């Protein structure tokens, strides 16, 4: 047999076994870091949610204290007690805050608040528990502030001893009204057949005449609109003669407007 055609085969281990082992080592190191990164991102949004809840409660508490503490000086202890009671009431039912804040809602301190002068400065200090230790730190200290001015009332600016009370006006009206229930503002509008208008009378016994504002507008069906107190009939329901846009202003801002006779009589 020719030795040139003899083939020898050998079996043995692969030349290098370090590559699969290196992949395993890298996965063991990178996967926990990657998982921690995504947990931190999700936790960041939770922290924002907690801060929004605390800030809203601080703002609502400040507005209520602005009225509660107006004209009173019960001392820092009494004012802080009132602030804590109102704040805890606003924070009740907020599960995220109780879950991530160390000590729950009771772990939020308002001791650094200030109630002096005419302003209320609510300062909330609390700690948020981290899901993993970050640079040897387990908690993050958070501080939030809400400022509100105490309600000190208003001073009358009217002349002749009259108080500067709130009154009602309309966009095109020449008088002001003492009540928003005035019949000039709350019109009783009803739709009638145009052929019956001549025989109808308002509550004062007067006849209905054509409205100059909407007389030339086209309308369908022969229906028109009247009120019990008015003396005009309207072809358009959106006519400014029966549509009221009411504004609330001070009496000192009414200018040349006189008081409504129906309000004065009522």
């Amino acid at each position: 047999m020719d030795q040139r055609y003899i083939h020898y085969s050998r079996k043995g281990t692969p030349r290098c076994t370090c590559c699969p082992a290196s992949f395993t080592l890298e996965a063991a190191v990178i996967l926990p870091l990657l998982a921690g990164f995504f947990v931190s991102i999700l936790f960041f949004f939770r922290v924002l949610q907690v801060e929004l809840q605390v800030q809203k409660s601080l703002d609502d508490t400040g507005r209520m204290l602005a009225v509660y503490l107006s004209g009173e000086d019960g001392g820092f202890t009494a004012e802080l007690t009132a602030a804590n009671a109102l704040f805890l009431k606003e924070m009740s039912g907020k599960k995220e805050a109780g879950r991530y804040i160390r000590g729950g809602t009771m772990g939020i301190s308002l001791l650094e608040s200030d109630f002096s002068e005419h302003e209320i400065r609510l300062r909330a200090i609390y700690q948020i528990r981290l899901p993993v230790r970050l640079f040897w730190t387990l908690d993050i200290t958070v501080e939030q502030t809400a400022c509100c001015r105490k309600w000190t009332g208003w001073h009358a600016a009217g002349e002749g001893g009259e108080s500067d009370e709130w009154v009602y006006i309309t966009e095109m009206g020449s008088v002001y009204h003492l009540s928003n229930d005035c019949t000039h503002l709350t019109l009783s509008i009803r739709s009638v057949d145009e052929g019956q208008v001549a025989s109808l009378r308002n509550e004062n016994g007067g006849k209905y005449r054509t409205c100059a504002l909407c007389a030339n507008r086209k309308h369908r069906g022969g229906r028109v609109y009247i009120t019990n107190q008015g003396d005009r009939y309207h072809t358009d329901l959106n006519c400014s003669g029966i549509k009221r846009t009411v504004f609330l202003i001070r009496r000192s801002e009414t200018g040349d407007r006189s008081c409504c006779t129906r309000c004065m009589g009522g």
Side-chain angles (χ1 to χ4, degrees):
M1 184 175 182
D2 192 347
Q3 295 296 327
R4 291 178 301 176
Y5 298 99
I6 297 177
H7 176 70
Y8 296 94
S9 62
R10 299 179 58 186
K11 295 182 179 180
T13 59
R15 293 182 179 180
C16 181
T17 58
C18 61
C19 289
S22 64
F23 292 154
T24 303
L25 181 61
E26 290 175 0
V29 174
I30 294 177
L31 286 179
L33 294 177
L34 190 61
F37 172 75
F38 285 113
V39 169
S40 300
I41 294 298
L42 295 176
F43 182 73
F44 173 75
F45 290 103
R46 285 296 187 183
V47 171
L48 288 180
Q49 187 177 11
V50 171
E51 290 182 351
L52 288 174
Q53 292 179 349
V54 174
Q55 189 63 47
K56 184 179 184 305
S57 298
L58 280 177
D59 294 337
D60 294 341
T61 301
R63 283 191 287 267
M64 288 186 289
L65 280 175
V67 179
Y68 179 77
L69 299 181
S70 61
E72 296 184 3
D73 187 11
F76 177 79
T77 302
E79 294 170 343
L80 181 61
T81 302
N84 277 317
L86 292 173
F87 179 72
L88 291 177
K89 182 180 179 181
E90 292 295 325
M91 287 294 297
S92 62
K94 294 180 172 56
K95 298 180 180 179
E96 287 76 11
R99 184 183 306 168
Y100 294 100
I101 295 178
R102 180 169 294 278
T105 55
M106 299 297 295
I108 304 175
S109 174
L110 300 179
L111 290 175
E112 299 296 327
S113 301
D114 183 18
F115 309 99
S116 60
E117 301 300 331
H118 297 297
E119 290 187 352
I120 298 173
R121 294 182 178 271
L122 294 176
R123 182 173 297 174
I125 302 175
Y126 57 94
Q127 293 181 330
I128 294 183
R129 297 189 295 263
L130 293 177
V132 294
R133 185 185 294 271
L134 182 63
F135 299 112
W136 307 102
T137 303
L138 288 177
D139 301 324
I140 297 178
T141 301
V142 180
E143 180 177 335
Q144 293 179 246
T145 305
C147 299
C148 194
R149 185 175 178 83
K150 295 180 182 179
W151 188 82
T152 56
W154 56 274
H155 299 284
E159 298 180 357
E162 293 184 352
S163 60
D164 195 15
E165 60 184 334
W166 292 101
V167 294
Y168 304 88
I169 63 171
T170 59
E171 186 175 6
M172 304 298 295
S174 59
V175 297
Y176 64 85
H177 307 268
L178 303 178
S179 172
N180 60 345
D181 294 328
C182 178
T183 55
H184 274 302
L185 302 179
T186 57
L187 302 177
S188 56
I189 304 173
R190 55 194 176 102
S191 174
V192 298
D193 189 272
E194 188 174 5
Q196 299 177 352
V197 174
S199 60
L200 297 177
R201 300 292 183 272
N202 59 24
E203 63 179 16
N204 297 321
K207 295 182 178 181
Y208 291 99
R209 294 174 293 173
T210 305
C211 173
L213 298 175
C214 60
N216 297 326
R217 299 180 187 178
K218 295 181 180 180
H219 67 288
R220 298 178 181 178
R223 305 293 294 184
V224 294
Y225 306 94
I226 62 174
T227 62
N228 293 336
Q229 299 82 19
D231 58 356
R232 298 288 191 273
Y233 67 88
H234 309 266
T235 59
D236 188 358
L237 186 58
N238 293 319
C239 176
S240 59
I242 54 176
K243 186 178 180 180
R244 297 290 187 264
T245 302
V246 182
F247 301 94
L248 182 65
I249 64 172
R250 292 290 187 183
R251 179 180 286 190
S252 59
E253 301 172 355
T254 56
D256 296 334
R257 291 183 176 89
S258 59
C259 185
C260 170
T261 55
R262 293 185 186 178
C263 293
M264 293 180 63

